[in-house]
Amino acid sequence: LREYPSWGTGEMREPAWNARRSDGSLAGDLLYHSHQILSGPEAAAMRPQGLPWVHPTGDDGGFHTLQIDCRDPAGGVQISLFYSVVEGVPVLLRWCRLVNSGSEPLEVRALASASVDLPAAVDYPRDVLTLNGAWARERHAARGPLVPGLHALESRGGASGHQHAPFIAVLDHETTENHGQARALSLIYSGNHRHSVEVDQYGVARMQAGIGPAGFSWNLEPGASLDTPAAVLTWSADGLNGVSANLHTFVRQALLPPRWRHRDRPIVVNSWEAHYFDVNQDNVVALAREGAAIGAELLVVDDGWFSGRNDDRSSLGDWVPDTGKFPRGLAPVAREVEQLGLQFGLWVEPEMVSPDSDLYRSHPEWAIAAPGRRATEARNQLVLDLGNPAVQEHLFTVLTKLLEDAPIRYFKWDMNRNITEPATGETMHRYILGLYALLDRLTRAFPDLLIEGCAGGGGRFDYGMLAWTPQFWTSDQTDGIARLPIQHGSSILFPPETMGAHVSAVPNHILGRTTAAATRAVVALCFNFGYELDLAKESDADRAVYRRFSGLYRELRSMLRTGRFLRLRSTEGVYSWMVLAEGGGQAVVCRVQTQGQPNAAPATVRLTGLDRQRRYAVTQVNPQAGGADDHVAMVCAGAALMDLGIPVAATRGDYSAQLWLVTSHQNAETKGTP
């Protein structure tokens, strides 16, 4: 077993680092040299430089860090390993710093944030769990047996990616949502990553995470250093819900921007699926008026608002309001929206540039490109080199002007393509460091600006971005049924208030599926609730459903933001989940059945986390009736709700949804059991 394994030392599994000296030889082994234990500001000062970090209480008082310094006996390399804990947060943070302590340049080719060898488990079979997918179907959970050999996931497009979330978990084979051991590893990073687990011939599993090594290299001059992003490790004997509880606590108490940690999120109505590129002064105000009528609190003008932007073929980089669509600019429109009782938000994609744009014609050298190679366009756009300080300065100036010219309270910050043709092995990591520097500067200048991260939907939903953008557009997939596995997998890592979820139009614009308004609203309710449709085209009956759910969300959102999200046991075609309030006195329970079953056996939803002795009243919500038909279905002990469950009335057809509110009923007599 090795704490930070090296290449070429007789170790046959993956090394944690790889560096080449100027004479072409590889750096060798690491030996312990010294250690120290740091606390408070002294510990926080050792944070990874230029990378996202945690703020447990808004100051540095909750840190405790072990630093172990190791050296290559051949000289020239020193690696410091850091292990940090935050008081009250059940995770371990690990990262490392490599210093070129020699007199010649050193090329770093791989540097893991953490390497963990687990005890052998020959007699106790294990599984590996990852979150995988593609655009519009991100973070579907995949679980299978952990067998000898290497299981590795990488992103290589410059972002954490649609294909593989920066996450891997090793579970005992019998582990369920609520029982059994689970070990999870993630990364506070938004660029190329690699997560792996390798099992040797003796059944010893090695978990690793770090910057993706594909195409990566970093030249270190004598005396220079390179820090890795921090890895997040956690363990639970209470199954996957136990892992989620630990990780959600970490996000809420340490990672999210302190200013947004205790603030409820607004109900958003977004213009994209309502009008796409055809936004203008009149239809934006009309959408805000319709949004106010159904309880929305913030209107977001999506793509299409800036000069020359009528489709995706031009104008990215020219962040000036289109005078044909907004003759008086954005400020008068924003004020009209505010007079209707909504805040005003704006979609931006600052990291990108269209070849057909004034910015690109002025500064073609600002786009990422490899000398002598043709730049690959995707979605008719190129990527600005955020590793260039001039690009960072330009973007900060442009975004500042937007925010100062109009009362913009919210940015939807998008990134719609991968990075290609990096000029060097340092390009992609320097890009991410530049992105973090820009976000840090902007949020310090505008601390009340709420930024929702987006990357073609969920292509860069990670712990790195959450350090500045306290919520994320979970996926461009707005079909309620297709969202179920996305939200299920995402919830392993992310608490519900970080996950944007909107009610969209039917037939759905991506899949063409038609589902009831109540089903779409139940799917979105427990997350960052909002709307993505032309409300003027909706029926009176559906608008009544939306008003009801906007009211429910306002009543529940503080509890949803602080409560414990729990995935309930699901069967084929059924997804169930609940949010349990702190103290256990209140819960919201949701169930969605994707396909009707003929002659089906009676179904129930078994809850979890309740006090077995406490009595609870279970209210069945009828979203179609504005609350008039809500009724207490039963009052019973928590033990009955967990062991037997809430009975589900038989329904006809596909895509049915149920919603229950569970409240403590200490003085009631038990009137029924499931």
Side-chain angles (χ1 to χ4, degrees):
L1 302 181
R2 288 177 176 258
E3 187 63 17
Y4 202 74
S6 303
W7 176 257
T9 60
E11 168 64 61
M12 302 302 291
R13 289 176 292 161
E14 288 276 290
W17 67 291
N18 189 348
R20 185 181 295 273
R21 304 180 192 278
S22 58
D23 63 2
S25 63
L26 296 178
D29 204 0
L30 288 178
L31 299 179
Y32 166 85
H33 178 261
S34 62
H35 76 275
Q36 57 180 328
I37 297 175
L38 308 170
S39 296
E42 189 179 32
M46 301 306 293
R47 57 170 289 181
Q49 297 303 301
L51 290 156
W53 189 234
V54 296
H55 304 279
T57 58
D59 55 38
D60 299 326
F63 290 110
H64 303 281
T65 297
L66 168 64
Q67 176 181 340
I68 300 176
D69 295 326
C70 306
R71 294 179 179 177
D72 184 344
V77 175
Q78 175 177 310
I79 292 182
S80 296
L81 307 178
F82 296 92
Y83 308 74
S84 187
V85 294
V86 179
E87 292 178 4
V89 179
V91 304
L92 175 67
L93 302 176
R94 290 186 56 177
W95 72 101
C96 80
R97 175 173 297 152
L98 189 153
V99 178
N100 181 353
S101 56
S103 58
E104 298 291 333
L106 187 70
E107 181 189 19
V108 181
R109 293 187 166 187
L111 194 65
S113 298
S115 182
V116 182
D117 284 353
L118 304 178
V122 176
D123 297 327
Y124 301 93
R126 291 170 171 164
D127 292 346
V128 60
L129 175 71
T130 55
L131 302 174
N132 315 292
W135 174 80
R137 50 180 175 85
E138 300 89 344
R139 291 175 299 284
H140 286 217
R143 178 173 177 172
L146 184 59
V147 297
L150 177 65
H151 188 109
L153 304 170
E154 293 187 345
S155 70
R156 299 168 183 165
S160 47
H162 295 276
Q163 291 74 25
H164 305 295
F167 168 82
I168 199 163
V170 173
L171 322 173
D172 288 356
H173 182 65
E174 68 274 11
T175 294
T176 64
E177 290 287 3
N178 296 311
H179 303 286
Q181 294 194 58
R183 305 158 185 85
L185 175 60
S186 189
L187 204 62
I188 311 178
Y189 189 61
S190 308
N192 290 347
H193 65 87
R194 188 174 196 267
H195 286 67
S196 67
V197 57
E198 185 174 8
V199 179
D200 70 7
Q201 65 269 39
Y202 304 111
V204 176
R206 170 172 292 167
M207 302 176 71
Q208 288 184 351
I211 296 173
F216 173 82
S217 65
W218 198 271
N219 294 312
L220 280 183
E221 295 297 326
S225 63
L226 175 64
D227 286 4
T228 70
V232 182
L233 298 92
T234 195
W235 168 91
S236 178
D238 297 323
L240 281 171
N241 276 327
V243 163
S244 292
N246 294 348
L247 294 175
H248 293 185
T249 297
F250 162 69
V251 171
R252 288 169 165 173
Q253 296 186 17
L255 183 62
L256 289 179
R259 186 176 291 266
W260 287 102
R261 215 167 279 174
H262 307 296
R263 294 170 70 173
D264 291 334
R265 306 293 195 268
I267 301 172
V268 169
V269 58
N270 188 288
S271 71
W272 181 241
E273 290 193 12
H275 301 298
Y276 291 99
F277 293 102
D278 189 25
V279 289
N280 58 56
Q281 176 177 302
D282 292 337
N283 64 30
V284 164
V285 173
L287 183 61
R289 187 175 294 110
E290 294 283 353
I294 56 99
E297 298 164 321
L298 188 146
L299 183 284
V300 178
V301 180
D302 211 290
D303 199 353
W305 60 267
F306 48 99
S307 182
R309 185 68 165 180
N310 298 308
D311 50 42
D312 68 0
R313 292 178 291 183
S314 72
S315 305
L316 285 174
D318 300 341
W319 302 108
V320 178
D322 188 297
T323 55
K325 299 177 180 181
F326 300 94
R328 298 178 296 156
L330 292 177
V333 178
R335 294 191 186 98
E336 283 192 66
V337 169
E338 289 190 332
Q339 289 172 3
L340 292 168
L342 282 74
Q343 294 181 319
F344 185 78
L346 200 64
W347 176 94
V348 291
E349 194 175 4
E351 303 165 58
M352 301 293 150
V353 64
S354 301
D356 182 9
S357 68
D358 292 341
L359 178 63
Y360 186 76
R361 285 185 281 271
S362 299
H363 291 286
E365 76 281 4
W366 281 1
I368 290 178
R373 294 178 61 188
R374 181 180 178 181
T376 300
E377 292 184 25
R379 203 171 180 258
N380 304 298
Q381 60 196 57
L382 300 172
V383 185
L384 292 173
D385 184 3
L386 268 68
N388 182 342
V391 174
Q392 296 175 37
E393 184 64 32
H394 169 78
L395 293 178
F396 178 77
T397 300
V398 168
L399 296 172
T400 294
K401 180 171 174 53
L402 283 173
L403 293 167
E404 290 178 344
D405 285 353
I408 297 168
R409 314 298 181 189
Y410 174 108
F411 270 162
K412 180 180 177 182
W413 183 299
D414 211 343
M415 180 210 187
N416 272 308
R417 59 155 292 174
N418 292 327
I419 297 174
T420 55
E421 290 85 38
T424 73
E426 298 184 5
T427 299
M428 290 193 177
H429 183 53
R430 289 195 183 278
Y431 177 95
I432 294 297
L433 294 176
L435 170 65
Y436 290 153
L438 176 61
L439 285 168
D440 192 65
R441 185 178 177 189
L442 190 69
T443 53
R444 289 179 185 274
F446 300 93
D448 289 320
L449 176 69
L450 175 58
I451 303 178
E452 178 176 83
C454 180
R460 197 170 61 186
F461 192 171
D462 54 67
Y463 286 161
M465 290 301 292
L466 284 183
W468 289 282
T469 66
Q471 61 191 59
F472 217 90
W473 183 229
T474 312
S475 176
D476 278 349
Q477 180 57 264
T478 57
D479 176 75
I481 301 304
R483 286 287 292 233
L484 291 168
I486 297 172
Q487 294 175 176
H488 177 92
S490 299
S491 71
I492 296 174
L493 279 169
F494 305 110
E497 71 273 17
T498 67
M499 298 163 57
H502 292 178
V503 178
S504 65
V506 293
N508 179 261
H509 290 195
I510 293 178
L511 292 181
R513 179 161 30 213
T514 297
T515 52
T519 296
R520 287 174 275 140
V522 168
V523 171
L525 176 66
C526 290
F527 305 93
N528 255 334
F529 187 73
Y531 300 94
E532 193 91 13
L533 70 174
D534 187 350
L535 290 162
K537 296 180 179 179
E538 297 295 293
S539 69
D540 291 342
D542 283 357
R543 282 199 293 266
V545 173
Y546 304 152
R547 282 193 295 273
R548 176 77 204 283
F549 272 85
S550 294
L552 279 171
Y553 181 73
R554 283 194 298 272
E555 293 172 13
L556 296 170
R557 62 182 163 191
S558 293
M559 186 273 282
L560 297 173
R561 178 176 53 77
T562 57
R564 184 179 177 188
F565 187 92
L566 294 155
R567 293 171 302 279
L568 303 177
R569 182 180 179 184
S570 298
T571 56
E572 183 177 359
V574 176
Y575 286 85
S576 302
W577 63 94
M578 64 182 284
V579 180
L580 181 64
E582 291 181 296
Q586 183 184 16
V588 179
V589 182
C590 301
R591 179 185 186 271
V592 178
Q593 182 169 313
T594 62
Q595 292 184 324
Q597 299 294 328
N599 197 26
T604 60
V605 179
R606 296 185 185 181
L607 309 191
T608 189
L610 303 178
D611 183 332
R612 297 186 67 84
Q613 305 303 319
R614 183 184 295 186
R615 289 189 177 93
Y616 294 88
V618 180
T619 300
Q620 174 90 46
V621 174
N622 181 354
Q624 303 285 357
D629 287 354
D630 294 356
H631 64 281
V632 177
M634 67 187 72
V635 178
C636 56
L641 292 173
M642 293 191 291
D643 296 342
L644 300 175
I646 301 173
V648 179
T651 58
R652 297 181 63 187
D654 299 332
Y655 319 132
S656 62
Q658 291 83 30
L659 174 65
W660 298 274
L661 303 180
V662 179
T663 54
S664 179
H665 205 86
Q666 296 282 20
N667 299 321
E669 295 181 4
T670 301
K671 297 190 293 185
T673 58

